[in-house]
Amino acid sequence: MRPTLRTFTLALGIASAALLGTSQTVSAASPGPVPAVAPASARAGSDGGLVLQGTGGAAEVCVFETRGDYVHVSSSAFEASGHGWWVNGNCPTTTAVVTVQLQEYYSDGVWRNVGSKGKSTVRSGGGSQGRATGRGPCKSSAVTSWRSVVDVDLVGLSDSPEKLVTAGRDLACRL
């Protein structure tokens, strides 16, 4: 009976060591996606022009443009920054809620929301007082691709869910 118990204990020890070694190897061999430089095909942005249906019926059309600048490294701080604003064509409102979300490109081919979302109620036209700003602090100067997503919601009017996506741009900034 003793040889059987020793054989069983020895086999159990070998199997445990093999399993422990396997799980450690799997953990070390599968790192997650990391920020990266986007290929040219992933950098294209939309043109930003939107035509919206008004709330009064099919014959009523309200036209405005959603605009945004390229994400850039701020001149006042080591952070990524992107702005969004709107230009009124013929909409019967003077203000809109503008939201800007920065996105960083990752090695798995996915643009991920990063940083703090900017959201402001602004008048048409842009400028330093008429825009929303999204920001993200740079943790290193490694080159990474960036873009922003700008959404304009007209105050008091229905509008489409479309958003402006700025073209991707490589910056010496990584979150």
Side-chain angles (χ1 to χ4, degrees):
M1 193 150 209
R2 278 188 190 220
T4 306
L5 184 57
R6 275 189 212 155
T7 306
F8 175 74
T9 304
L10 182 60
L12 182 61
I14 292 171
S16 296
L19 288 174
L20 285 175
T22 302
S23 65
Q24 289 173 350
T25 304
V26 170
S27 296
S30 58
V34 296
V37 174
S41 61
R43 295 175 198 243
S46 61
D47 67 1
L50 300 176
V51 177
L52 306 172
Q53 291 286 331
T55 57
E60 199 175 311
V61 176
C62 170
V63 179
F64 70 96
E65 288 183 68
T66 299
R67 295 193 180 167
D69 60 4
Y70 291 113
V71 177
H72 53 279
V73 175
S74 173
S75 60
S76 61
F78 188 46
E79 63 185 10
S81 178
H83 304 101
W85 64 96
W86 72 294
V87 176
N88 195 350
N90 65 350
C91 299
T93 187
T94 58
T95 56
V97 177
V98 178
T99 305
V100 180
Q101 175 65 63
L102 299 184
Q103 293 186 329
E104 190 174 24
Y105 187 81
Y106 275 68
S107 59
D108 61 353
V110 175
W111 290 96
R112 288 186 169 79
N113 292 344
V114 295
S116 59
K117 186 185 293 187
K119 186 174 185 177
S120 297
T121 301
V122 297
R123 294 189 176 278
S124 170
S128 63
Q129 300 300 313
R131 64 187 184 192
T133 304
R135 298 182 186 280
C138 302
K139 293 181 181 172
S140 81
S141 58
V143 176
T144 305
S145 295
W146 291 85
R147 70 181 187 183
S148 62
V149 179
V150 182
D151 185 28
V152 172
D153 293 315
L154 301 173
V155 173
L157 297 174
S158 296
D159 58 65
S160 100
E162 294 175 302
K163 298 174 183 178
L164 168 73
V165 178
T166 62
R169 187 170 188 210
D170 295 341
L171 298 176
C173 171
R174 183 170 290 179
L175 260 61

